[in-house]
């Protein structure tokens, strides 16, 4: 059987999609971790930032040499970049044999077969109903402990800076029965943790025969499958994080006390231009509710520095909301204009790159302080962690994560990967706890 090699870039959704692709192609291709022996290479891409796209262009250039020395090697590009830049890619990347958007993976066998005859193929049609809910993903690159379950696709929010609604289409939710079946399958295979994925999981909605399943109810259904199955989710939009969800999280010990809650900016003026449809005050009210119901809940976020028209005062408001919330972790980026988005059409990208960099550096420095303060508060505390693997620095140490999604490193002793154990934190760095 021919060999398939998959490289995945970007978010958790892309990794989940790659597992779907592996399942669709499993009858004709065996997966390999050695790129040199591959007959088919698939590059699953991200378009969130320009840097991500430039990285893919560079990678495709590197693959040209491999293709010259491997007769019959096919290379395909998948994902958001395929959707957003089809014409440009076809014109500038002759190494590609075919291109498939996020809703076109069922057509991959046909694209592969036709492109083998020498003509570049593509399918980037977006769907209003494709969820791949009947495809059981192949868990090909996993620790055997944690897995992703995609519960919905697309997005209806249209944040002005974001390409996702244009590259992944409109929002649609999976049948909860298929989600539960996937989770049950993972439990049977020994997995101990699942992360429910969506561009905005809070807006998950399924209705059938007069019965409605909200995201909070879905979380509860998954948590009830097994008390030893940890349940996480990503990502939340602040406008949809309901009291019902927070109360459900507080009620179940195996629903992890961690919420990724992107704020993007602390300024109402910038939030309005971003079309985030909430205010600073509303966001902080939701944080207060989280703290009220789950005092031990960790909160992480996304922050964009230097959005169109962002003043120095706007930037200072972002720093102040970071201090007020006290985030455990943050993903922090300079604004990167994406063609076709509302902000590219309506606003001028008017913050000089040097100033974006300066503001980003301030954000990163502050978050380093906040992360360190959070970790210092954990020194002396005891946590239950799920052991996930061997430390990269020493085979004599293992690592795991607590409910708050913090990585904890501890001596291996007689512990095994996949165990739940209790550890007491003795010291920390800004990024890591040691126990």
């Amino acid at each position: 059987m021919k060999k398939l090699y998959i490289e995945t870039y970007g978010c958790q959704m892309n990794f989940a999609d790659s597992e779907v692709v592996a399942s669709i192609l499993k009858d004709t291709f065996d997966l390999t971790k050695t790129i040199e022996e591959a007959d088919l290479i698939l590059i699953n891409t991200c378009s969130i930032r320009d840097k991500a796209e430039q990285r893919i262009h560079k990678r495709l250039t590197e693959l040209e040499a491999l293709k010259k020395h491997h007769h019959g090697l096919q290379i395909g590009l998948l994902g958001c970049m395929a959707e957003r830049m089809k014409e440009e890619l076809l014109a500038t990347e002759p190494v590609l044999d075919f291109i498939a958007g996020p809703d076109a993976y069922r057509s991959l066998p046909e694209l592969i077969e036709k492109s083998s005859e020498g003509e570049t193929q593509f399918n980037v049609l977006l769907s209003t109903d494709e969820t791949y809910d009947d495809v059981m993903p192949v868990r090909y690159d996993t620790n055997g402990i944690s897995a992703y379950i995609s519960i919905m696709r697309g997005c209806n929010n249209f944040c002005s800076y974001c390409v996702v609604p244009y590259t992944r289409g409109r929002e649609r939710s999976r049948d909860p029965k298929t989600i539960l079946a996937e989770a049950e399958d993972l439990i049977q295979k020994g997995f101990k943790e699942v992360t429910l994925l969506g561009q905005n999981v809070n807006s998950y909605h399924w209705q059938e025969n007069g019965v409605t399943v909200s995201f909070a109810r879905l979380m509860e259904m998954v948590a009830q499958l097994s008390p030893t199955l940890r349940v996480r989710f990503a990502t939340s939009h602040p406008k949809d994080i309901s009291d019902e969800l927070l109360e459900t999280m507080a009620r179940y010990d195996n629903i992890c006390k961690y919420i990724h809650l992107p704020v993007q900016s602390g300024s109402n003026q910038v939030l309005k231009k971003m079309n985030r449809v909430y205010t600073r005050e509303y966001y902080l009210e939701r944080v207060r509710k989280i703290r009220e119901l789950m005092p031990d809940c960790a909160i992480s976020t996304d922050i964009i520095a230097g959005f169109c028209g962002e003043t120095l005062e706007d930037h200072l408001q972002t720093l102040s909301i970071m201090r007020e919330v006290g985030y455990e972790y943050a993903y922090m980026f300079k604004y990167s204009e994406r063609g076709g988005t509302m902000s590219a059409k309506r606003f001028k990208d008017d913050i000089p790159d040097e100033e974006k960099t300066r503001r980003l550096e301030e954000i990163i420095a502050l978050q380093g302080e906040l992360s360190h303060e959070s970790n210092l508060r954990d020194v002396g505390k005891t946590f239950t962690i799920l052991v996930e693997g061997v430390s990269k620095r020493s085979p004599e140490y293992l690592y795991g994560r607590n409910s708050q999604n913090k990585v904890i490193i501890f001596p291996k002793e007689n512990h095994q990967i996949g165990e739940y154990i209790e550890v007491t934190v003795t010291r920390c760095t800004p990024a890591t706890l040691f126990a």
Side-chain angles (χ1 to χ4, degrees):
M1 192 177 286
K2 290 184 175 181
K3 301 289 187 180
L4 165 64
Y5 181 88
I6 305 177
E7 282 187 10
T8 305
Y9 297 83
C11 63
Q12 296 166 325
M13 291 291 294
N14 277 11
F15 284 91
D17 276 5
S18 290
E19 294 179 337
V20 167
V21 167
S23 180
I24 289 170
L25 297 177
K26 65 182 179 181
D27 291 338
T28 48
F29 289 90
D30 281 334
L31 284 160
T32 179
K33 293 186 177 181
T34 305
I35 193 169
E36 289 80 10
E37 69 178 24
D39 301 291
L40 172 64
I41 298 173
L42 297 178
I43 310 295
N44 196 351
T45 63
C46 174
S47 261
I48 295 297
R49 291 173 299 280
D50 180 66
K51 186 176 180 181
E53 291 183 350
Q54 295 306 317
R55 186 180 179 191
I56 299 301
H57 284 300
K58 181 180 178 182
R59 184 58 174 146
L60 291 175
T61 299
E62 295 169 352
L63 291 176
E64 284 186 34
L66 185 63
K67 193 168 186 179
K68 288 177 182 177
H69 293 92
H70 189 323
H71 179 71
L73 173 64
Q74 290 176 273
I75 298 176
L77 190 126
L78 314 178
C80 293
M81 190 173 169
E83 190 73 41
R84 196 179 87 83
M85 302 176 63
K86 180 196 76 178
E87 290 83 1
E88 180 181 335
L89 288 165
L90 290 175
T92 62
E93 299 290 356
V95 71
L96 292 175
D97 295 288
F98 59 90
I99 294 171
D103 290 347
Y105 298 148
R106 292 184 194 271
S107 69
L108 280 172
E110 181 182 2
L111 294 176
I112 293 165
E113 182 179 354
K114 288 187 175 180
S115 67
S116 68
E117 298 170 2
E119 186 174 344
T120 305
Q121 301 291 310
F122 63 89
N123 183 350
V124 292
L125 291 176
L126 289 174
S127 170
T128 58
D129 56 11
E130 178 62 86
T131 61
Y132 302 108
D133 60 2
D134 60 333
V135 178
M136 189 64 74
V138 172
R139 313 291 175 176
Y140 69 90
D141 189 17
T142 174
N143 58 9
I145 304 300
S146 305
Y148 300 128
I149 299 179
S150 179
I151 66 168
M152 59 196 301
R153 299 184 74 82
C155 185
N156 288 347
N157 289 319
F158 288 92
C159 300
S160 65
Y161 53 81
C162 186
V163 298
V164 168
Y166 310 101
T167 60
R168 286 187 170 269
R170 301 303 293 270
E171 190 177 277
R172 61 270 190 202
S173 299
R174 277 180 65 182
D175 186 331
K177 293 191 291 291
T178 68
I179 296 168
L180 293 173
E182 192 170 327
E184 287 273 22
D185 180 69
L186 289 166
I187 293 170
Q188 294 300 315
K189 290 175 178 174
F191 284 80
K192 298 292 183 66
E193 180 181 274
V194 296
T195 301
L196 307 185
L197 295 179
Q199 299 300 145
N200 176 20
V201 288
N202 313 77
S203 60
Y204 174 90
H205 180 86
W206 182 267
Q207 192 163 13
E208 189 175 43
N209 299 324
V211 177
T212 298
V213 178
S214 65
F215 179 58
R217 176 61 183 139
L218 178 67
M219 286 284 289
E220 182 173 51
M221 292 163 72
V222 175
Q224 288 174 341
L225 292 175
S226 169
T228 62
L229 179 72
R230 273 188 171 178
V231 186
R232 301 185 185 272
F233 62 92
T235 292
S236 300
H237 194 294
K239 72 179 178 65
D240 293 318
I241 192 156
S242 66
D243 288 358
E244 179 194 14
L245 173 61
L246 300 179
E247 289 161 0
T248 300
M249 291 180 68
R251 194 160 56 245
Y252 288 88
D253 290 339
N254 62 325
I255 297 180
C256 291
K257 304 305 181 277
Y258 166 72
I259 299 175
H260 185 64
L261 197 65
V263 68
Q264 307 300 1
S265 172
S267 161
N268 283 338
Q269 183 233 167
V270 174
L271 289 172
K272 185 174 182 180
K273 291 180 77 172
M274 288 178 167
N275 196 35
R276 291 293 285 173
V277 300
Y278 56 82
T279 63
R280 173 192 179 99
E281 293 74 22
Y282 173 85
Y283 184 95
L284 289 172
E285 186 280 324
R286 290 289 79 195
V287 170
R288 283 191 287 272
K289 191 66 177 181
I290 293 168
R291 303 289 193 215
E292 174 192 325
L293 294 174
M294 295 176 287
D296 61 340
C297 187
I299 302 175
S300 63
T301 198
D302 295 341
I303 297 173
I304 297 173
F307 187 69
C308 310
E310 182 188 73
T311 65
L312 182 57
E313 175 58 29
D314 294 327
H315 169 63
L316 294 176
Q317 288 184 42
T318 294
L319 296 177
S320 74
I321 202 170
M322 291 173 66
R323 293 188 186 97
E324 189 162 349
V325 176
Y327 295 109
E328 272 68 27
Y329 188 80
Y331 296 91
M332 302 156 284
F333 311 99
K334 292 187 290 186
Y335 171 62
S336 173
E337 185 176 89
R338 308 280 73 207
T341 59
M342 285 193 288
S343 62
K345 295 174 182 176
R346 297 180 183 178
F347 309 127
K348 184 179 179 181
D349 183 9
D350 56 355
I351 309 299
D353 189 66
E354 314 84 70
E355 179 62 11
K356 287 182 185 179
T357 299
R358 189 194 69 78
R359 294 180 189 183
L360 178 61
E361 287 173 350
E362 287 191 359
I363 289 168
I364 291 171
L366 174 57
Q367 185 55 51
E369 295 174 16
L370 296 175
S371 296
H372 199 195
E373 289 170 7
S374 174
N375 282 354
L376 285 169
R377 290 193 295 270
D378 287 338
V379 174
K381 293 181 181 179
T382 298
F383 295 99
T384 298
I385 66 170
L386 175 60
V387 184
E388 295 185 26
V390 178
S391 170
K392 293 179 180 178
R393 296 200 171 187
S394 170
E396 298 305 312
Y397 286 80
L398 299 174
Y399 73 90
R401 283 178 299 157
N402 61 11
S403 180
Q404 291 74 21
N405 205 38
K406 290 188 177 184
V407 173
I408 302 179
I409 295 174
F410 59 96
K412 182 178 181 181
E413 298 177 349
N414 295 320
H415 302 302
Q416 303 294 321
I417 295 172
E419 277 188 296
Y420 285 107
I421 66 170
E422 286 197 347
V423 297
T424 299
V425 177
T426 56
R427 63 185 179 91
C428 72
T429 67
T432 309
L433 300 175
F434 296 87

